[in-house]
Amino acid sequence: FFAARREARMPVTEEERLQSLHAWLLCSGDSEEQIAVSFDDTLAVLCASRFDPSRADGAGDPPGGPPWLGELLERARWRELVYTLHARHPSSALLNTAVQRLLASPAHAAEAAERTSESRDAAALAGGSSVAHLLDCLADRLAARLSGGPGASKALVALCAGDE
């Protein structure tokens, strides 16, 4: 197919390449789910290795971020990538918007607070320690506890009072 297209000087589109790869993987015994996971994993590796905050932040997106961001943040695989990239590029406007949306989401606030606090804690241990980092970490943890629903107040007391 591709050889005939090249001979006719017709370019092969990316969609045609993906469809051919998909068909080949199905013929080789992979399930649709395995193909989707492989595709997502490959795409995540490419995004992680090629992410450029200057290009991502210069897109002129609306205040809540690009239209596709909400759907991306609903999937655990892509939230993981956001946390990883945010730890590497903490000043990225796109990644900060994504993290703020996650922190504001009842479904993801605790996870986001924990993951962003972990990256700030790691930065502090690496030599970037400051009172501001400590306060940010505590604020995120408190926000997560307060939005946690039933039992949140006990967890909050445990967080603040420790073993007292």
Side-chain angles (χ1 to χ4, degrees):
F1 171 78
F2 293 131
R5 296 280 309 245
R6 276 193 292 275
E7 286 178 24
R9 297 190 187 269
M10 296 174 64
V12 177
T13 67
E14 292 301 315
E15 184 177 347
E16 290 170 328
R17 285 188 180 127
L18 286 173
Q19 288 173 350
S20 294
L21 178 60
H22 182 261
W24 179 82
L25 290 169
L26 284 173
C27 288
S28 71
D30 285 356
S31 69
E32 290 284 350
E33 184 178 341
Q34 289 170 315
I35 294 169
V37 168
S38 294
F39 179 80
D40 284 356
D41 288 348
T42 302
L43 190 57
V45 167
L46 289 172
C47 289
S49 67
R50 296 181 181 183
F51 183 80
D52 179 356
S54 65
R55 291 180 67 194
D57 295 345
D61 294 318
W68 47 263
L69 187 59
E71 184 179 338
L72 181 122
L73 296 176
E74 287 304 313
R75 296 186 53 207
R77 176 70 182 102
W78 300 114
R79 288 193 309 275
E80 180 66 31
L81 178 63
V82 166
Y83 300 135
T84 300
L85 290 173
H86 187 257
R88 290 184 202 159
H89 308 282
S91 61
S92 167
L94 174 65
L95 296 173
N96 283 324
T97 297
V99 168
Q100 290 304 314
R101 285 180 67 170
L102 288 167
L103 288 168
S105 162
H108 305 299
E111 172 192 85
E114 182 179 332
R115 293 301 309 276
T116 55
S117 293
E118 285 172 7
S119 65
R120 277 194 225 116
D121 291 347
L125 291 173
S129 181
S130 71
V131 173
H133 281 294
L134 175 62
L135 293 175
D136 282 344
C137 293
L138 289 175
D140 288 346
R141 289 182 181 149
L142 288 172
R145 298 290 185 204
L146 290 172
S147 67
S153 59
K154 285 184 183 179
L156 181 59
V157 169
L159 176 67
C160 295
D163 294 332
E164 294 179 16

